[in-house]
Amino acid sequence: MALTLHGISASNGIAIGKLHVLRRGMLDVPERRLSGPQVGGEIARFKAALRTASRELKAIKARIPSDTRAEIAAFIDTHLLMLEDTALTTGTLQAIRTHRCNAEHALKLQRDAIVSVFDAMDDAYLRTRRDDVDHVVNRVQRILSGGRTPVFVTRPDDPQVIFADDLAPADTVLMQDGVAAFLTEYGGPLSHTAILARSLGVPAVVGLHDARAHLRDDELVIVDGRQGVVVVAPDPATLRHYRARQKDLMRIRAARASLRKTPAVTADGEPVTLQANVEFESELALAIRDGAAGVGLYRTEYLFLNRSSPPTEAEQQEVYAGVVRAAKGGPVTIRTLDLGADKQVDGARPDAPISQNPALGLRAIRLCLKEPGLFKPQVRAILRASAHGPVRMMIPMISSTSEFEQVLELVRACKRELAEDGVPFDPATPLGGMIEVPAAAVCADLFAREMDFLSIGTNDLIQYTIAVDRVDDEVSYLYDPLHPAVLRLISTIIKAGRRAGIPVALCGEMAGDARYTRLLLGMGLKEFSVHPNALLEIKQSILEAHAAKSRTLTKRILSTARRTRREALLNELNQ
Ligand code: PEP
Ligand code: MG
């Protein structure tokens, strides 16, 4: 019987495919067969992973403050004991020998066997201990895979709809081929996983609470990304309806292809710069084909995820230069590392204390200034990439001008070193900042004096202004780009840039949502940077917009208290 589940729209599009349900808290692991002589090495690898896991747990225990509840330390002791438990260790070693398989797969087999015993128990408390088993097993799996989260192996020839409790950007990026759609039980529409899904053009629905109970592997599902709807086991009429809609969407897309070479100019003749947000060089071909005038945001973090040590300067230089060349002469705005919050790097800072509030913690430029060993190679690599074409360097999450002064000093030092060593780079590489913290938005005029350009990061600006976690679906109803506080800050930033005579772009997801194009034009925005799949839709909105006429209604929206009224005015603006 067909069943319809409702979640939150995270990436538009319709997918029809078979489900693959990832197990709770643990992604699937690959299976490898070993030759006889390889077995000894695999056993040693597993034992070493157990030792590392034990060291990690002891280090965590040592950092627990003395006034913490005793159960928490006891919890870690339980995990340490499990690591020594023969059921887990000897059982896995035996499985490696008997099945001649890799340690990850053997550990998975052993975990499944242990968990089935727990599941059969009458005692509810004991049944909850299966979660402890999973925590310990996941820790060892992560170590075995060199810091990588073990991940589902995709099937590019038979794309599936993936359902998981939650997906970190690091997991999602490994699944980019062969996935028809992403579904998650938790996570907000502005999480980096959702943004990634949009960039990859894969439909996604998040916040599907309690959906797991209704989903089975290999079941046929329809995912309507725009409506945030999932139809499980659809009847033939529903299937026909969605297949027809899929075709309609394809037709609309094909019709927009004629706009690829059309300049982005409003109906009343105001030219607009329309650029692309990219995470990987591979996305650029599509963006350039669809007429992007360069890259307004290149998120470099993805180069640092899923590995145990950061990429070297040479490796980064090669990747950045590749992106610059692929942009075919358009400027590439390379954002320096924005790690932290929902993008954590495995193994980069193993001894760092666990942050209670990662979005307010050592994220982005804060982390980079604290770890020059991480930051300096990146700054040098970005400067070196400027020898291959126009590059702009952009600093995320700036909150005070003193931070920017430190960045300037470091950039100057890197330029001196490169010049002394005769390494080519463009000494005039523009250096700008993302305005995504309210403190920076309020003082945008002060930042505009120091910076060569500004770029408004509304994803974070909204999160920090309204105090609403962008990855928490429970509060996503509060995430409102139309909130007057947000709109007034955006307007302040645009004005500050204009007065200082420097360009201001908007690279948050709001720029890629056609409902807001006229509003942003009405506020005087001249540069939009959007995910590649939105380029033509936004261009069409720009072509149909009358910037001067939009100003009056925009002003009214900025001073309207009621949300429903603001929505009504926005609809009027968009007519
Ligand atoms: C933003 O915050 O708006 C932004 C573009 O950066 P990110 O989504 O990577 O935080
Ligand atoms: Mg941001």
Side-chain angles (χ1 to χ4, degrees), residues 29-33 101-110:
V29 295
E31 179 182 352
R32 264 186 302 117
R33 293 275 151 216
C101 65
N102 54 327
E104 290 91 336
H105 184 65
L107 180 58
K108 171 183 171 284
L109 292 177
Q110 201 52 25

Side-chain angles (χ1 to χ4, degrees), residues 192 299 335 338 363 396 434 436 457 459-461 470:
H192 282 96
R299 291 184 168 98
R335 175 172 80 182
D338 182 6
R363 179 185 166 185
M434 286 190 73
E436 46 186 353
N459 306 341
D460 279 312
L461 186 62
R470 61 192 268 189

Side-chain angles (χ1 to χ4, degrees), residues 66 217 231 293 308 374 398 429 464 471 495 518-519 539 558 567:
S66 52
D217 273 343
V231 186
S308 45
L374 189 68
I398 282 273
T429 302
Y464 295 130
V471 298
K495 279 188 194 137
R518 290 187 185 186
L519 179 71
K539 190 184 286 181
L558 256 70
E567 298 273 0

Side-chain angles (χ1 to χ4, degrees), residues 285-528:
L286 176 83
I288 298 298
R289 185 200 66 186
D290 283 353
V295 175
L297 167 63
Y298 169 42
R299 291 184 168 98
T300 55
E301 302 79 66
Y302 290 93
L303 204 56
F304 290 69
L305 298 180
N306 295 310
R307 50 191 297 158
S308 45
S309 56
T312 61
E313 176 184 325
E315 201 177 335
Q316 291 184 59
Q317 191 273 338
E318 206 166 301
V319 175
Y320 303 156
V323 173
V324 172
R325 282 192 295 265
K328 308 251 188 273
V332 176
T333 312
I334 305 181
R335 175 172 80 182
T336 60
L337 262 179
D338 182 6
L339 288 175
D342 62 339
K343 282 176 291 191
Q344 301 288 343
V345 214
D346 302 319
R349 302 180 75 240
D351 298 324
I354 294 160
S355 172
Q356 297 297 328
N357 263 316
L360 301 183
L362 203 60
R363 179 185 166 185
I365 192 58
R366 302 172 178 184
L367 173 70
C368 286
L369 288 174
K370 193 171 163 112
E371 305 273 346
L374 189 68
F375 192 35
K376 221 175 143 193
Q378 181 174 47
V379 169
R380 284 174 55 102
I382 294 173
L383 287 169
R384 288 172 61 187
S386 70
H388 299 264
V391 165
R392 309 197 304 172
M393 194 184 312
M394 181 159 83
I395 312 297
M397 219 194 157
I398 282 273
S399 58
S400 75
T401 48
S402 66
E403 268 172 342
F404 194 67
E405 280 160 25
Q406 290 176 63
V407 173
L408 262 176
E409 214 165 284
L410 189 122
V411 172
R412 283 194 197 116
C414 290
K415 285 183 179 174
R416 270 197 305 276
E417 283 172 18
L418 291 173
E420 274 163 24
D421 295 344
V423 180
F425 69 98
D426 176 6
T429 302
L431 181 61
M434 286 190 73
I435 306 298
E436 46 186 353
V437 174
V442 171
C443 302
D445 56 331
L446 305 182
F447 286 87
R449 281 186 214 159
E450 311 292 330
M451 295 175 170
D452 296 323
F453 64 92
L454 307 178
S455 188
I456 309 172
T458 41
N459 306 341
D460 279 312
L461 186 62
I462 298 171
Q463 143 162 284
Y464 295 130
T465 303
I466 314 182
V468 48
D469 188 340
R470 61 192 268 189
V471 298
D472 185 346
D473 53 287
E474 303 240 56
V475 286
S476 62
Y477 69 99
L478 290 171
Y479 195 96
D480 179 15
L482 284 186
H483 192 299
V486 172
L487 298 181
R488 289 177 190 194
L489 287 179
I490 295 175
S491 173
T492 302
I493 303 164
I494 296 172
K495 279 188 194 137
R498 196 166 50 225
R499 287 196 186 120
I502 60 168
V504 179
L506 196 149
C507 63
E509 293 297 294
M510 202 175 163
D513 189 332
R515 275 178 308 163
Y516 304 124
T517 311
R518 290 187 185 186
L519 179 71
L520 294 171
L521 288 168
M523 286 197 264
L525 188 74
K526 305 252 185 277
E527 292 191 18
F528 290 64

Side-chain angles (χ1 to χ4, degrees), residues 553-572:
L553 265 181
T554 297
K555 268 198 200 124
R556 278 176 63 196
I557 295 175
L558 256 70
S559 54
T560 298
R562 274 175 174 266
R563 186 172 177 163
T564 45
R565 181 73 194 127
R566 289 196 301 274
E567 298 273 0
L569 286 171
L570 184 72
N571 288 340
E572 198 180 323

